[in-house]
Amino acid sequence: MVIRIIKHVFIPFICCFTIISSLAMDKAPSTVAVILLGCSYYLSIVFDNKFPSLQKFQFVFLALFHWSSHLNWCLILYYILIGFSIQKRERYTHIIRIALMYILLYTVIRLSYVPFTNYNLFVSIYDIISSVVFVLLLQYVHKSELEKKRLRKENNFLITHDPLTGLLNYEGYVTAVQDLIHKKCNFVLILLDFQDFKSVNNESICTGNEILTQISLLLGKLFYNSHAMSRYAGDRFAIILPSKENLISNLSELLDPNTLGLQVTYSFAQFPQEAVTKEALISIAEDRLFQSKRDVWLKREDHLFRSEKMKMVGELAAGMAHEIRNPLTTIKGFMQISTNHDYNIHPWFDIIMSEIRRMNELTAEFLQFSKPHLSNMKQELLTDCIDRVLSLAESDALYRGHKIIFEDTKESLYVFIDRDKIVQVLLNLIQNAFEAMKQPGDIHVRIKQEEHAAIIEVEDSGDGISESDLEKIFIPFYTTKEAGTGLGLSICQKIALDHGGSLEVKSTIGLGSIFSFKLPTV
């Protein structure tokens, strides 16, 4: 802007002022020559961008104009030429050579029309020194401006671009959308979310950054004709493509996981078919992306649930086969022995029947564990349910010499439950407490209230459970009892989960255990 003002305002003004002054003071040897040379110099300055070859003749026109005007006022025009040279070149030595050449030319022409006196000689020396100082100062200012311009450009780049990939950031891409809407260009906004990237990035930040860089390069090749491309929110990319036929239908092929190396969820929004403002357009694309990600997440969760379910079925089947095989092996052994005693099984009858009862109990518990639904759900007062449990467990407690201490809350708590199932869980927990206490002692059954939940605690004073056993007690068929099936606590936990609650345990060796049965309140 400054250069343009100098070229189109100051130079013509100085030329006209010099011509008029030279003619008014009768300095010019030729009126026609000074006017023509002044105009020639001005035109060579104005059209040097269009005709670069004119730059070689600018100092010639200036020198002739200077000689024809016989005025020292042309010195400022020499300085302007030096300034133009500084703008185009950056080396000090080269600029100083050009400046000395111009000033020497100015000095020679000046001395040709003024008397050769000591004064004029010293003035010429002063002009040379001042030109060197002028060049150094102008060069310093020029370099400072270039540095400011570079820093400003880098700052603007960082404001609107992602430093890792060099693509636009969120602010840059929103600005690009706004500019295209302002230009009324038809385009499609595509948002990409790379689903597996977070797990890769958690393994190594360097690996994650490398993958992001590779993705940005690959997207640049796939969508080379894009108006703009952006990376924002970590692993999301936005691509603005010009509208064309079949673009949307071809997206799934372009974004194939085999090509990109990662699973990607995408969405799109079209301008102006679906929205005419940047806010509405981005909102449509973001909403569609969220819905797509939700669908993918639900499919993954369903697949994971099915996988876990099949894994559990396999573990249960293996455990069931193992538990049934043991009594069958015992029965088989006694039956083989009976072949040597005329098939008389009387000596082993009680053992065989005991093993058969064991298999029957195991099968019954397994069937109960595998029942998918609760059958009789209704609203119950939790205290009534526990009273029922305590009445059922009282006789066994007296027989073993234990005492059950019930600690109720002041408020009535209602829960939506299958009463028989809850009674079964609590009886199982109390029965386990009886068996954990080798000496007569107290068993505390207490009700606690939390926000929107009731907690039933069963605390014993037995030997406690080791940390290794705590991790396994809810696993089907795991037991530390000689006669246990290992399904009791598994069934209790399943009933708790079916009621939207939970079953947890805390234990200290030598002090006892606390089982916490949590149920949502009504």
Side-chain angles (χ1 to χ4, degrees), residues 182-217:
H182 181 71
K183 295 176 182 177
K184 300 188 183 306
C185 297
N186 292 358
F187 64 90
V188 178
L189 172 62
I190 301 171
L191 301 184
L192 310 178
D193 186 284
F194 289 88
Q195 301 150 15
D196 299 330
F197 176 74
K198 288 184 175 68
S199 60
V200 175
N201 202 20
N202 286 338
E203 296 176 3
S204 170
I205 294 177
C206 293
T207 302
N209 289 343
E210 290 172 1
I211 292 175
L212 278 174
T213 304
Q214 292 174 2
I215 290 174
S216 64
L217 293 174

Side-chain angles (χ1 to χ4, degrees), residues 18 47 51 103 121 163 252 315 323 336 342 376 458 508 517:
T18 302
F47 294 106
F51 304 102
I103 296 303
L121 180 61
S252 57
E315 291 176 352
E323 294 297 328
Q336 288 175 336
D342 296 328
N376 189 23
V458 178
T508 304
F517 183 19

Side-chain angles (χ1 to χ4, degrees), residues 98-377:
I98 292 176
L100 289 174
M101 183 188 73
Y102 285 164
I103 296 303
L104 286 174
L105 181 61
Y106 163 78
T107 302
V108 170
I109 296 173
R110 177 177 173 276
L111 291 176
S112 67
Y113 60 79
V114 298
F116 190 81
T117 62
N118 289 336
Y119 172 78
N120 290 326
L121 180 61
F122 285 122
V123 168
S124 298
I125 295 173
Y126 175 81
D127 290 340
I128 293 172
I129 295 172
S130 64
S131 67
V132 173
V133 174
F134 172 78
V135 168
L136 294 176
L137 289 174
L138 197 59
Q139 182 77 349
Y140 172 77
V141 172
H142 179 64
K143 284 203 168 184
S144 299
E145 289 300 319
L146 287 177
E147 184 67 16
K148 289 180 182 178
K149 187 177 180 181
R150 184 185 66 81
L151 292 174
R152 196 179 301 114
K153 186 177 180 181
E154 289 182 359
N155 185 54
N156 291 336
F157 182 86
L158 292 175
I159 290 173
T160 58
H161 288 74
D162 170 40
L164 177 64
T165 61
L167 302 178
L168 294 172
N169 57 20
Y170 183 79
E171 182 179 347
Y173 119 72
V174 171
T175 303
V177 170
Q178 181 61 49
D179 291 342
L180 289 171
I181 291 176
H182 181 71
K183 295 176 182 177
K184 300 188 183 306
C185 297
N186 292 358
F187 64 90
V188 178
L189 172 62
I190 301 171
L191 301 184
L192 310 178
D193 186 284
F194 289 88
Q195 301 150 15
D196 299 330
F197 176 74
K198 288 184 175 68
S199 60
V200 175
N201 202 20
N202 286 338
E203 296 176 3
S204 170
I205 294 177
C206 293
T207 302
N209 289 343
E210 290 172 1
I211 292 175
L212 278 174
T213 304
Q214 292 174 2
I215 290 174
S216 64
L217 293 174
L218 186 57
L219 291 176
K221 292 178 181 178
L222 289 175
F223 303 103
Y224 58 89
N225 62 333
S226 64
H227 290 305
M229 195 175 295
S230 165
R231 175 209 165 210
Y232 69 101
D235 55 358
R236 286 192 183 183
F237 289 81
I239 304 171
I240 306 174
L241 296 175
S243 296
K244 65 177 183 179
E245 190 176 356
N246 299 326
L247 174 61
I248 304 301
S249 58
N250 293 334
L251 276 179
S252 57
E253 182 179 346
L254 289 171
L255 300 174
D256 186 88
N258 295 326
T259 303
L260 297 175
L262 290 171
Q263 289 286 343
V264 61
T265 304
Y266 68 90
S267 67
F268 63 88
Q270 303 179 76
F271 174 83
Q273 294 90 333
E274 295 179 309
V276 294
T277 64
K278 74 172 186 296
E279 292 82 6
L281 194 73
I282 293 174
S283 178
I284 290 172
E286 290 286 356
D287 289 344
R288 286 176 176 171
L289 183 64
F290 173 79
Q291 188 61 42
S292 298
K293 289 176 65 179
R294 181 177 180 276
D295 293 341
V296 170
W297 182 82
L298 290 175
K299 288 179 181 178
R300 284 190 173 186
E301 287 296 308
D302 183 62
H303 177 73
L304 182 62
F305 174 76
R306 291 175 183 274
S307 300
E308 290 295 325
K309 189 175 180 181
M310 292 303 297
K311 181 181 177 182
M312 181 178 290
V313 169
E315 291 176 352
L316 287 174
M320 188 67 180
H322 175 75
E323 294 297 328
I324 291 179
R325 184 172 58 188
N326 290 337
L328 282 177
T329 301
T330 302
I331 294 172
K332 178 183 176 183
F334 285 121
M335 294 300 293
Q336 288 175 336
I337 293 173
S338 70
T339 59
N340 298 325
H341 298 79
D342 296 328
Y343 297 99
N344 180 17
I345 62 171
H346 181 72
W348 311 285
F349 179 79
D350 291 338
I351 299 175
I352 291 173
M353 290 304 297
S354 173
E355 292 298 297
I356 291 173
R357 281 194 297 272
R358 181 183 167 196
M359 284 192 295
N360 187 46
E361 291 173 0
L362 187 66
T363 305
E365 288 194 5
F366 183 79
L367 290 173
Q368 188 175 14
F369 181 81
S370 62
K371 284 183 181 179
H373 300 295
L374 300 169
S375 57
N376 189 23
M377 296 288 290

Side-chain angles (χ1 to χ4, degrees), residues 429 432 436 458 460 463-476 478-480 489-490 493 503-516:
L429 295 179
N432 286 345
V458 178
D460 64 62
D463 295 334
I465 306 171
S466 65
E467 289 188 10
S468 59
D469 288 333
L470 278 176
E471 298 175 357
K472 303 175 183 177
I473 59 173
F474 294 114
I475 298 176
Y478 180 80
T479 182
T480 56
L489 286 176
S490 300
Q493 188 182 55
L503 181 61
E504 299 176 351
V505 60
K506 295 179 182 178
S507 185
T508 304
I509 298 296
L511 296 179
S513 305
I514 302 176
F515 282 83
S516 300

